[in-house]
Amino acid sequence: MKRHRFDIGSLVNEEVKRTVDLSTHLAKITTEVLLSNPGRSTVNSFVVALEPELAPHLAFIGASGQEEKDGSLELKETSLKGQSGKFFEVQLLSGLAGGSKLRLQVETVLSHVLRPFPTHITQAERQLVVFQGNHYLYSPYLTTSQTTRVRLASKNVESYTKLGNPSKSDEIIEFGPFQDIPPFSQDPMKIHYENNSPFLTISSITRTIEVSHWGNIAVEETIDLRHTGAFLKGPFSRYDYQRQSDSGISSIKSFKTILPASAQDVYYRDEIGNISTSHLLVLEDAVEVEVRPRFPLFGGWKTHYIIGYNLPSYEYLYTLGDQYALKMRLVDHVYDDQVIDHLTVKIILPEGARNIHLDTPYQIDREPDQLHYTYLDTFGRPVLVATKSNLVEQHIQDVVIHYTFNKILMLQEPLLVVGAFYIMFFTVIIYVRLDFSITKDPAAEVRMKVASITEQVLTLVNKRLGLYRHMNDVVNRYKQSRDTGALNGGRKTMEAEHRTLTNDISSLQARLKVEGSDLADKVAEVQKLDSQVKELVCRSCQEAERLVAGKVKKEAYIENEKSLASKRQELINRIDSLLDAL
Amino acid sequence: MDGLTDSGHGHFNTKHKWRTEFSGCNYVVKNDTVANHMRVVSLSSFLLRFNYRSTHHLTSNGFYEFLNWFDERAWYPLGRIVGGTVYPGLMVTAGLIHYVLNLLHMTVHIRDVCVFLAPIFSGLTAISTFLLTRELWNQGAGLLAACFIAIVPGYISRSVAGSFDNEGIAIFALQFTYYLWVKSVKTGSVFWTIGCCLSYFYMVSAWGGYVFIINLIPLHVFVLLLMQRYSRRVYIAYSTFYIVGLVLSMQIPFVGFQPIRTSEHMAAAGVFALLQAYAFLQYLKDRLTKQEFQTLFFLGVSLAAGVVFLTVIYLTYTGKFSLSLMRYLCPPPRYAKIHIPIIASVSEHQPTTWVSFFFDLHILVCTFPAGLWFCIKNINDERVFVALYAISAVYFAGVMVRLMLTLTPVVCMLSAIAFSSVFEHYLGDDQKKDSPPTEDSSDEDDKRNSGNLIVTMLMLMLLMMFAVHCTWVTSNAYSSPSVVLASYNHDGSRNILDDFREAYYWLRQNTDEHARVMSWWDYGYQIAGMANRTTLVDNNTWNNSHIALVGKAMSSNESAAYQIMQSLDVDYVLIIFGGVIGYSGDDINKFLWMVRIAEGEHPKDIRESDYFTPQGEFRVDKAGSPTLLNCLMYKMSYYRFGEMQLDFRTPPGFDRTRNAEIGNKDIKFKHLEEAFTSEHWLVRIYKVKNEGSSRTSSFLRKARS
């Protein structure tokens, strides 16, 4: 954003109420101003200023009108000629007409302004910090009346500046009221007090959001934590820490991280594995993780961990045709009153996302896009990288990423897998079916030839046996119907078919003999047995004719038939066993 | 045939040792798995961390950089040449898999590859065991053998996920090499033999146990010659194997010229020469008369013996190779116990007890002699091999616990053969044999059938119990990451004691990057891997005097120890103390080994007897020896412990591990300062105060950074 010089109008701060909250490791300054325009012309904007000493610590500044609820106003950084410090131009929604007044609220959050003093303490000592600020409101305008209320973390105050005889009750010190303060007035305020609240700082966090169009958003945060309070001096005694409740009172044992309500598969780990000292609590509107580092954090100690989870994409990903919009928090809650020194956000979009456009709630630094390769990627997923320094809780806001994505590309990965398997199976098929050997093995070839011939013999022989069974049926039917014509017809077809089959088998037998296989002998034996079977079948046929003609008695026929059948069965069994041996 | 004990450098630098043995008494805490998420299967145990660290180095810096890696973070101030002193097979395998997967855009972390390498290779082991057993017996036995090796505890111990160990891939290489060897002896084809050589090369690159192969195969050939089973196939197989295998094995930097220098490899060379001579004689035999042949034979044999004798004398004299007979006549532990206490101090190097045979092999240990008998009864070339394999492996497994691993596959194969034969006999389809079942024999048949049924049922029951045992052992003994302990409350809920990682992570995060940590060598790899700090000694116990120096520092009084620590630039001292939770594997229980090892190198300053009471007891209470009560290890372990009352029934300062009230409750340090103690006091870290004298070291530190 470009800084531009701004000409301040002539406004007046009437009734200023400042509240300086020093109860945590942050300094949160809320200023309520009744702004009046004594001039004639309408003013559309005004300037908020920050002292030059505090300016580098500024994490967040925001202004809102008192009347409209949630009417946050737009801020733009600017500079003033001949004045040091930081200045922001605030655009009013509707101009402030001459002679009218407006109630406004400005919120400022400063990080790392509470300086531990002494800088090194032992395990048994309490942590004291110094805050150095300004008694007055630092403003380019004249202030008619001002009060300042300071909220501390505890009753124990070592010292504080006594401008205007402030009153102190428990954790609160009240300064003022001060009257008619000229513009850019400064008067150093110094408070030295006990503050054992967790001085926890995220020195760096990398938040990776990986979007999958298959329904999942994976979030992973890599966090470096540091205790930025007074350094631990001397030994750390576990005995004292366990036995005395006020030992190491400023150390940090654990804190709570609030994840989105739909977070699943939460993991909490570091380089050497899972950290077993955490607890997960699923609430109605959030998932609460009690994060306990492996060891308690004392002043100056640091730790490093990774926390990650999955989210269903339907809650965060919006689509219209090929247009997609991802609405996610740019940074999420890690612990209450968090301070992030350095944030890196990486958003990994699906492969093939184009026309990417980022809508951020506040200014962030974009770095060149990267490509990320993971499972089944061919040309890489676009990665947006953004960084920002000095963030606090107020920065937990949504970012919107618009992009276009051709839905056909969803099929790319499944098709890739299908294709790979297809190629694999195809190669195996080719390999198995074709002969790649450079030498010829005649024995194997003969074996294969013989096997195929035997196969044919088997089918033919089985067919022939089928013929006999059919003939049997024909005979039985003849016995009932006494239709000689049918019998003769059946016999004739059987004879004909039998002849062709037998011829086929003998030709195959000849081929087997050519190949030099000893199976030829077995086939010959089958043929021999078969001719006997055939004979038997013919005999039973004749017997039946004789029975019908009345030439034999029924009992004798039955007796005869029985012996014929058993003989036949025996022969067929022998054929079967021969076939099995083939 | 002393294959597996070690490489020929004379000291024991190939292996990474587990930890000093302790005499555990009341082990309140039980190891258990803590994996509440699939992704946190961590690399278990102590030494695997080193392999992981080297693999990580390999993947991030490339192969050549890995071969040249000089690790200055270990063995301070000596450093260690890692590239030339490890078997790179494991790291290269994992690195290669990782590389290929990432080439295909499968973004698998190298850690995950390392974690799942052992299970993958155990699958391959099962396949190669199947192939080998099929060659030896038949397909059915092969299947049984594959089933056995898949679940047998003796092998599971090295193949659970997270066990990233040389042995894990080496057993596969071993079995596969043997399969290819059997195949090449059977076929006499150069193709199979070259395959065998490549597999052998892989084995050499993976594990020092390759010496087992290079002795077993010549032994096989030798026995075949003795049994008059010489054939052209054996000649082709062995000649090819010896020459190609020799050349390939010398390509591994760590092995180098050992195959032609050290006595472990001489058997192979001797058999090679013998085989050539034998083949030559066979050739002559066809062409000469009997009389001529006998004269020639006698002459040739005496000439050869003379030449070999003179060569050995000459080479030993000029120091080209060492013929340390002593090492090979004694079982290693006995030899080591006399000469190097550090070897004896390792729990893995103890002789195997019967219990652990049964624990690791269960029913197989009973059935495998039957399999061996079956093999010997129907002997052929390859069954000679498996018989020799079995006999030598049994011997080595009896000598040392860790060599149970080489016994396990052969036990699985032979048991499978035994079971398979029994089943074939009793389950065979005998209706077919006497196919027309005659009426009168049906009674007898029934009887036999019921007999068959009983035998089959019994066998199946044995196998079932075996499976149950395997599951139980696997879940209880072998799937626990030993860095995480768990205890159980009265109501059965579990407490996780993650103290090791707590302390190591504290070291990693909150000490200077170049801080030097002194600890007993058991924790060296863990500190290097998890805390990423410089250590003085570690599990690769190659320098005994350095370890002895650390032992001396631990067992001296504070001021003497301070001098040693100053001379070694020690910044932190880490000890393990189990007195609060009753963990018996702590440093006080290992302390006597430290004293013994220190005494070995510094007999003037340290005497083991000083640490015992006049009655010869090792006591930590008031009756303990004053030397013990004032030595550094004692003071560090019990610092401020005297104030701590764990229980209302016991006095303050009651040590739960040793069930004694400590004797020295008023411990004050002059040169040390408590830096960190983990939640259950399991790990205690002390900072060595700098008193101006170590200006040089801080200067060095600056220069280095």
Side-chain angles (χ1 to χ4, degrees):
Chain A
M1 195 190 290
K2 214 175 80 186
R3 278 180 185 214
H4 63 276
R5 299 255 151 178
F6 180 75
D7 181 37
I8 46 163
S10 52
L11 300 171
V12 174
N13 298 322
E14 292 179 15
E15 272 187 58
V16 174
K17 261 201 218 158
R18 280 177 87 209
T19 314
V20 182
D21 185 355
L22 302 178
S23 58
T24 61
H25 64 142
L26 300 170
K28 297 181 216 163
I29 303 172
T30 317
T31 315
E32 282 172 35
V33 189
L34 183 67
L35 200 67
S36 80
N37 182 4
R40 289 207 193 114
S41 56
T42 307
V43 176
N44 289 321
S45 64
F46 71 100
V47 172
V48 175
L50 198 69
E51 294 85 346
E53 292 80 31
L54 296 180
H57 297 289
L58 178 72
F60 174 80
I61 186 162
S64 58
Q66 197 98 70
E67 273 81 47
E68 319 97 301
K69 274 214 163 160
D70 199 28
S72 64
L73 303 171
E74 200 183 312
L75 274 87
K76 217 195 271 174
E77 192 165 354
T78 178
S79 63
L80 292 181
K81 212 180 194 173
Q83 297 296 339
S84 55
K86 249 186 180 167
F87 302 96
F88 296 89
E89 183 191 348
V90 184
Q91 291 291 333
L92 293 171
L93 290 176
S94 53
L96 188 61
S100 60
K101 291 178 183 176
L102 181 66
R103 211 170 266 284
L104 291 161
Q105 191 173 341
V106 178
E107 194 186 1
T108 319
V109 181
L110 305 167
S111 62
H112 300 300
V113 282
L114 300 181
R115 200 162 42 77
F117 188 84
T119 54
H120 289 71
I121 55 171
T122 61
Q123 191 181 339
E125 282 173 323
R126 285 149 186 279
Q127 180 169 272
L128 300 171
V129 296
V130 174
F131 173 73
Q132 277 178 311
N134 187 0
H135 280 113
Y136 302 127
L137 172 69
Y138 190 69
S139 167
Y141 310 115
L142 177 81
T143 305
T144 348
S145 142
Q146 183 205 338
T147 58
T148 300
R149 161 188 285 224
V150 181
R151 185 188 300 275
L152 303 176
S154 68
K155 289 190 282 194
N156 303 338
V157 180
E158 292 281 307
S159 68
Y160 58 98
T161 46
K162 307 257 171 22
L163 182 76
N165 204 7
S167 62
K168 174 183 175 292
S169 61
D170 285 351
E171 287 133 39
I172 291 172
I173 306 175
E174 303 233 27
F175 293 91
F178 308 113
Q179 309 287 343
D180 293 325
I181 308 154
F184 303 113
S185 299
Q186 283 200 70
D187 185 84
M189 170 166 77
K190 186 173 175 184
I191 304 170
H192 188 198
Y193 68 107
E194 183 185 327
N195 188 346
N196 289 315
S197 65
F199 271 57
L200 198 58
T201 306
I202 300 171
S203 36
S204 83
I205 176 172
T206 305
R207 183 169 152 93
T208 311
I209 300 167
E210 190 172 351
V211 183
S212 158
H213 280 178
W214 294 96
N216 190 55
I217 297 174
V219 182
E220 185 174 279
E221 289 172 350
T222 311
I223 295 173
D224 277 307
L225 274 181
R226 181 185 272 283
H227 188 301
T228 44
F231 282 82
L232 176 71
K233 180 173 73 180
F236 160 62
S237 166
R238 178 68 72 169
Y239 179 78
D240 291 339
Y241 190 66
Q242 281 172 339
R243 296 293 136 141
Q244 291 158 28
S245 57
D246 62 341
S247 172
I249 195 166
S250 60
S251 70
I252 298 150
K253 236 182 190 162
S254 70
F255 51 86
K256 278 195 177 111
T257 298
I258 296 168
L259 306 179
S262 49
Q264 284 172 336
D265 315 326
V266 183
Y267 57 90
Y268 169 50
R269 62 195 313 282
D270 57 27
E271 295 104 313
I272 60 172
N274 178 46
I275 303 170
S276 49
T277 47
S278 60
H279 295 283
L280 195 73
L281 193 66
V282 181
L283 304 174
E284 237 166 70
D285 56 345
V287 173
E288 212 177 77
V289 191
E290 195 206 335
V291 175
R292 224 176 116 191
R294 289 189 188 274
F295 43 84
L297 286 173
F298 278 84
W301 289 11
K302 59 186 171 59
T303 192
H304 171 94
Y305 69 87
I306 296 163
I307 192 165
Y309 49 89
N310 288 331
L311 296 169
S313 65
Y314 63 82
E315 289 188 13
Y316 300 93
L317 193 62
Y318 302 88
T319 170
L320 182 73
D322 277 354
Q323 297 286 321
Y324 283 83
L326 177 75
K327 194 175 174 199
M328 287 276 297
R329 282 180 173 177
L330 191 66
V331 58
D332 212 335
H333 181 270
V334 180
Y335 56 93
D336 291 337
D337 295 313
Q338 64 192 23
V339 177
I340 297 170
D341 284 351
H342 190 78
L343 163 79
T344 309
V345 181
K346 286 184 180 173
I347 301 165
I348 304 171
L349 297 175
E351 199 176 43
R354 281 171 298 115
N355 306 331
I356 300 156
H357 168 72
L358 198 64
D359 253 354
T360 55
Y362 38 83
Q363 192 225 337
I364 54 170
D365 303 323
R366 278 285 294 276
E367 273 173 30
D369 288 359
Q370 298 169 350
L371 283 178
H372 175 76
Y373 293 94
T374 181
Y375 299 97
L376 303 173
D377 283 347
T378 44
F379 52 91
R381 307 182 177 204
V383 185
L384 309 184
V385 187
T387 58
K388 188 169 171 64
S389 296
N390 207 355
L391 289 92
V392 288
E393 221 165 45
Q394 277 80 356
H395 287 101
I396 303 179
Q397 290 178 35
D398 283 336
V399 62
V400 184
I401 301 124
H402 300 276
Y403 59 93
T404 53
F405 178 83
N406 195 343
K407 284 206 170 87
I408 295 291
L409 285 173
M410 293 272 285
L411 291 176
Q412 183 195 336
E413 293 180 358
L415 286 179
L416 210 64
V417 176
V418 170
F421 274 106
Y422 179 77
I423 290 171
M424 194 182 86
F425 288 130
F426 194 72
T427 334
V428 170
I429 288 168
I430 298 263
Y431 178 76
V432 170
R433 292 294 160 115
L434 298 184
D435 185 9
F436 287 99
S437 69
I438 50 172
T439 55
K440 258 191 184 165
D441 187 355
E445 263 170 54
V446 167
R447 248 196 324 274
M448 268 159 69
K449 242 184 223 166
V450 168
S452 82
I453 294 171
T454 339
E455 188 88 343
Q456 287 174 33
V457 170
L458 278 179
T459 44
L460 291 177
V461 170
N462 278 327
K463 236 185 209 168
R464 207 160 59 182
L465 293 176
L467 278 182
Y468 300 145
R469 268 195 298 280
H470 180 70
M471 195 58 213
N472 223 12
D473 290 349
V474 170
V475 170
N476 283 339
R477 236 177 291 136
Y478 164 72
K479 275 189 277 180
Q480 276 156 19
S481 67
R482 300 174 178 245
D483 180 1
T484 326
L487 177 70
N488 285 337
R491 193 150 47 185
K492 221 171 255 167
T493 49
M494 190 207 71
E495 289 282 349
E497 278 181 40
H498 184 265
R499 201 168 303 124
T500 51
L501 285 173
T502 313
N503 285 341
D504 284 353
I505 292 173
S506 9
S507 73
L508 286 173
Q509 184 194 347
R511 274 174 64 194
L512 276 179
K513 214 167 223 164
V514 170
E515 299 295 347
S517 169
D518 53 345
L519 293 176
D521 304 339
K522 282 190 179 160
V523 174
E525 208 179 331
V526 168
Q527 293 283 65
K528 212 191 287 162
L529 289 170
D530 180 71
S531 64
Q532 289 174 22
V533 175
K534 164 113 193 295
E535 216 162 86
L536 287 172
V537 170
C538 288
R539 281 246 327 257
S540 83
C541 205
Q542 283 160 6
E543 289 290 317
E545 262 177 327
R546 281 172 66 193
L547 174 74
V548 171
K551 283 177 187 161
V552 272
K553 277 187 186 154
K554 207 172 180 183
E555 291 83 45
Y557 170 74
I558 289 172
E559 193 80 349
N560 212 345
E561 183 68 23
K562 212 180 198 176
S563 76
L564 278 177
S566 73
K567 263 188 203 159
R568 205 164 77 188
Q569 195 55 45
E570 201 178 308
L571 284 171
I572 286 176
N573 279 344
R574 279 173 65 190
I575 290 176
D576 275 344
S577 66
L578 274 173
L579 288 181
D580 282 344
L582 275 180
Chain B
M1 266 314 293
D2 177 20
L4 303 179
T5 47
D6 225 313
S7 74
H9 282 333
H11 39 70
F12 289 70
N13 55 352
T14 47
K15 261 170 311 248
H16 320 288
K17 311 259 159 29
W18 286 85
R19 47 184 133 157
T20 306
E21 184 200 24
F22 54 81
S23 43
C25 31
N26 55 336
Y27 201 67
V28 180
V29 186
K30 215 172 103 15
N31 291 358
D32 210 324
T33 38
V34 185
N36 54 8
H37 195 275
M38 239 290 281
R39 291 173 68 164
V40 298
V41 181
S42 58
L43 288 166
S44 56
S45 127
F46 294 66
L47 61 103
L48 317 178
R49 282 273 152 197
F50 170 76
N51 290 335
Y52 173 60
R53 199 163 141 248
S54 341
T55 312
H56 201 274
H57 190 90
L58 170 70
T59 50
S60 41
N61 295 315
F63 182 66
Y64 291 103
E65 191 54 43
F66 170 70
L67 284 184
N68 291 327
W69 185 22
F70 180 80
D71 185 8
E72 72 255 14
R73 300 216 127 187
W75 295 93
Y76 184 87
L78 309 168
R80 177 188 171 196
I81 309 158
V82 175
T85 59
V86 292
Y87 290 101
L90 180 71
M91 296 98 188
V92 171
T93 309
L96 202 68
I97 293 176
H98 178 247
Y99 175 77
V100 168
L101 286 180
N102 274 283
L103 212 63
L104 297 171
H105 293 325
M106 303 218 180
T107 41
V108 178
H109 195 274
I110 182 67
R111 179 190 60 236
D112 298 334
V113 175
C114 293
V115 164
F116 293 108
L117 195 72
I120 291 169
F121 268 85
S122 72
L124 295 178
T125 309
I127 292 172
S128 48
T129 306
F130 164 73
L131 293 172
L132 180 54
T133 321
R134 193 181 62 179
E135 291 304 318
L136 294 173
W137 202 256
N138 59 20
Q139 193 142 337
L143 280 175
L144 269 177
C147 293
F148 288 159
I149 193 105
I151 58 170
V152 70
Y155 183 55
I156 285 264
S157 63
R158 300 304 163 93
S159 64
V160 289
S163 155
F164 185 52
D165 204 352
N166 284 336
E167 282 93 329
I169 64 168
I171 294 299
F172 158 67
L174 185 84
Q175 289 291 89
F176 200 61
T177 311
Y178 286 157
Y179 161 66
L180 291 171
W181 168 249
V182 164
K183 196 86 187 168
S184 33
V185 167
K186 261 183 157 176
T187 58
S189 106
V190 178
F191 170 76
W192 288 108
T193 320
I194 293 294
C196 179
C197 292
L198 289 175
S199 175
Y200 172 67
F201 173 59
Y202 186 61
M203 175 75 188
V204 176
S205 77
W207 193 35
Y210 77 90
V211 185
F212 185 43
I213 298 183
I214 200 63
N215 284 295
L216 185 60
I217 287 179
L219 183 70
H220 178 216
V221 174
F222 185 65
V223 172
L224 285 182
L225 290 187
L226 286 186
M227 291 171 74
Q228 305 280 314
R229 282 175 171 274
Y230 168 82
S231 64
R232 240 183 64 227
R233 288 174 286 120
V234 175
Y235 178 77
I236 292 171
Y238 187 68
S239 304
T240 319
F241 171 77
Y242 180 70
I243 292 169
V244 180
L246 182 79
V247 171
L248 284 177
S249 67
M250 284 163 71
Q251 307 307 310
I252 304 296
F254 186 31
V255 175
F257 280 95
Q258 282 180 48
I260 52 169
R261 275 202 186 151
T262 56
S263 40
E264 288 115 16
H265 301 80
M266 283 307 124
V271 170
F272 179 67
L274 186 70
L275 191 67
Q276 303 306 323
Y278 193 90
F280 183 62
L281 288 178
Q282 288 282 331
Y283 174 75
L284 288 182
K285 209 175 175 181
D286 297 343
R287 268 144 238 267
L288 295 174
T289 63
K290 215 165 187 187
Q291 195 56 47
E292 281 172 325
F293 180 72
Q294 260 178 4
T295 329
L296 194 75
F297 182 78
F298 184 73
L299 256 172
V301 164
S302 45
L303 201 72
V307 166
V308 166
F309 184 69
L310 285 177
T311 321
V312 168
I313 294 271
Y314 172 75
L315 287 178
T316 315
Y317 184 69
T318 53
K320 284 271 162 40
F321 81 74
S322 54
L323 195 71
S324 47
L325 270 177
M326 188 60 195
R327 243 182 100 194
Y328 300 102
L329 291 177
C330 281
R334 210 175 302 150
Y335 166 73
K337 211 165 251 167
I338 302 162
H339 297 277
I340 314 168
I342 191 157
I343 306 294
S345 78
V346 177
S347 55
E348 262 197 324
H349 292 171
Q350 307 306 315
T352 317
T353 56
W354 270 111
V355 178
S356 68
F357 270 110
F358 188 74
F359 188 75
D360 275 359
L361 300 169
H362 197 248
I363 193 69
L364 304 187
V365 82
C366 313
T367 52
F368 99 96
L372 190 60
W373 183 75
F374 279 122
C375 276
I376 290 175
K377 214 180 154 211
N378 310 307
I379 200 87
N380 59 17
D381 287 359
E382 56 269 17
R383 287 175 194 161
V384 171
F385 177 76
V386 79
L388 292 171
Y389 183 7
I391 292 162
S392 51
V394 165
Y395 171 73
F396 287 124
V399 161
M400 203 193 271
V401 181
R402 64 181 268 142
L403 297 184
M404 278 297 286
L405 193 61
T406 48
L407 176 66
T408 308
V410 72
V411 164
C412 288
M413 295 192 304
L414 289 178
S415 293
I417 288 172
F419 273 106
S420 164
S421 317
V422 170
F423 281 138
E424 245 162 46
H425 191 260
Y426 286 101
L427 272 180
D429 197 5
D430 46 8
Q431 254 91 29
K432 238 186 183 171
K433 275 183 220 154
D434 30 21
S435 67
T438 38
E439 301 278 310
D440 49 79
S441 70
S442 72
D443 233 27
E444 227 171 79
D445 235 37
D446 271 1
K447 233 183 249 169
R448 211 175 56 215
N449 274 345
S450 65
N452 285 358
L453 208 67
I454 289 172
V455 172
T456 316
M457 292 274 279
L458 272 175
M459 286 290 165
L460 284 177
M461 216 153 89
L462 285 181
L463 289 183
M464 229 137 75
M465 278 158 71
F466 172 65
V468 169
H469 173 83
C470 290
T471 327
W472 179 80
V473 170
T474 306
S475 67
N476 280 282
Y478 289 136
S479 41
S480 48
S482 47
V483 290
V484 181
L485 307 171
S487 66
Y488 293 91
N489 298 334
H490 296 297
D491 57 348
S493 62
R494 194 172 63 180
N495 273 334
I496 293 163
L497 312 180
D498 211 349
D499 283 40
F500 284 105
R501 288 196 293 179
E502 178 187 349
Y504 292 139
Y505 206 62
W506 181 84
L507 269 179
R508 188 187 187 108
Q509 292 291 335
N510 295 306
T511 57
D512 183 84
E513 203 194 330
H514 296 286
R516 288 159 292 266
V517 182
M518 181 171 94
S519 73
W520 192 234
W521 61 260
D522 298 23
Y523 316 108
Y525 277 166
Q526 272 190 338
I527 294 171
M530 294 210 225
N532 197 18
R533 289 294 172 266
T534 308
T535 57
L536 269 68
V537 291
D538 64 27
N539 308 44
N540 171 298
T541 52
W542 65 273
N543 188 330
N544 192 39
S545 64
H546 212 55
I547 293 177
L549 207 56
V550 172
K552 189 185 170 193
M554 295 290 192
S555 38
S556 313
N557 63 35
E558 195 192 344
S559 48
Y562 183 64
Q563 278 177 2
I564 298 172
M565 293 192 288
Q566 284 285 304
S567 67
L568 290 173
D569 279 347
V570 174
D571 294 313
Y572 292 92
V573 189
L574 181 145
I575 57 154
I576 307 297
F577 171 63
V580 174
I581 53 163
Y583 174 68
S584 60
D586 68 353
D587 277 347
I588 291 278
N589 275 354
K590 293 172 188 172
F591 184 57
L592 280 180
W593 284 113
M594 301 183 203
V595 175
R596 264 171 224 159
I597 290 165
E599 188 186 8
E601 295 272 331
H602 310 277
K604 271 188 223 154
D605 305 311
I606 305 289
R607 271 174 306 276
E608 194 183 339
S609 54
D610 290 349
Y611 295 84
F612 289 111
T613 59
Q615 288 79 37
E617 287 171 296
F618 180 74
R619 304 180 68 149
V620 295
D621 56 9
K622 278 209 178 75
S625 88
T627 319
L628 174 68
L629 297 195
N630 287 301
C631 74
L632 187 70
M633 174 56 77
Y634 187 93
K635 284 173 83 174
M636 286 194 297
S637 292
Y638 293 121
Y639 178 63
R640 300 205 69 182
F641 185 66
E643 299 165 46
M644 188 161 180
Q645 188 161 18
L646 291 163
D647 210 325
F648 291 111
R649 284 162 292 176
T650 55
F654 185 80
D655 184 333
R656 280 188 181 165
T657 306
R658 285 154 284 272
N659 281 324
E661 188 187 346
I662 59 167
N664 184 357
K665 287 188 184 174
D666 182 35
I667 295 171
K668 293 230 159 40
F669 282 114
K670 227 171 99 192
H671 307 289
L672 295 177
E673 171 180 288
E674 187 180 8
F676 188 80
T677 298
S678 64
E679 197 181 346
H680 304 96
W681 293 49
L682 205 51
V683 185
R684 308 196 72 177
I685 301 170
Y686 289 85
K687 189 175 164 55
V688 181
K689 282 187 195 158
N690 263 338
E691 281 156 5
S693 59
S694 69
R695 208 171 295 135
T696 45
S697 70
S698 63
F699 172 75
L700 269 176
R701 203 176 308 162
K702 245 173 233 160
R704 206 177 289 137
S705 60

